[in-house]
Amino acid sequence: MRITRRWALGAMAFAPLAAFGAQEPGSQPACYDSDRLPLSQRSMRRSLGFKEVSDSETRRCSDCAFFTRTQGDCGTCQLLIGGPTNAASVCNSWAGKS
Ligand code: SF4
């Protein structure tokens, strides 16, 4: 993976959000506050058909080539320019790890 200045700045911007990692039993991990995402992140998620919780057992961010786990069930997505995501989320650009 090529780390660019833009990617690094994006990853740093979301690093504090990883602290939201606390999780209630049986609930979606709160890796970030979706209400506080920048407009650019919300727009990208909308265009990628992002779902907070995948309907599939096999197609999830945790199994996607673009996902990088940061802590627990939280991670970042290269297609979201380093934006935060949950291991259990998914979008239309899911690509299995080879
Ligand atoms: S490309 Fe989609 S499925 Fe893959 S990590 Fe990013 S948001 Fe998740």
Side-chain angles (χ1 to χ4, degrees), residues 14 17 20 32-39 42:
F14 290 105
L17 297 172
F20 279 90
Y32 57 91
D33 183 348
S34 58
D35 292 337
R36 299 186 71 176
L37 287 172
L39 179 60
R42 285 185 268 152

Side-chain angles (χ1 to χ4, degrees), residues 3-74:
I3 297 177
T4 63
R5 183 172 183 260
R6 184 177 180 180
W7 183 92
L9 289 172
M12 285 190 299
F14 290 105
L17 297 172
F20 279 90
Q23 180 181 3
E24 296 284 326
S27 71
Q28 175 67 13
C31 298
Y32 57 91
D33 183 348
S34 58
D35 292 337
R36 299 186 71 176
L37 287 172
L39 179 60
S40 60
Q41 280 291 317
R42 285 185 268 152
S43 295
M44 280 187 279
R45 282 155 207 266
R46 207 170 17 254
S47 67
L48 291 174
F50 184 83
K51 293 180 182 175
E52 291 290 340
V53 179
S54 174
D55 299 332
S56 169
E57 290 289 322
T58 55
R59 286 186 168 234
R60 296 178 172 201
C61 289
S62 60
D63 303 315
C64 178
F66 298 114
F67 180 77
T68 301
R69 191 176 299 274
T70 54
Q71 182 178 7
D73 284 336
C74 300

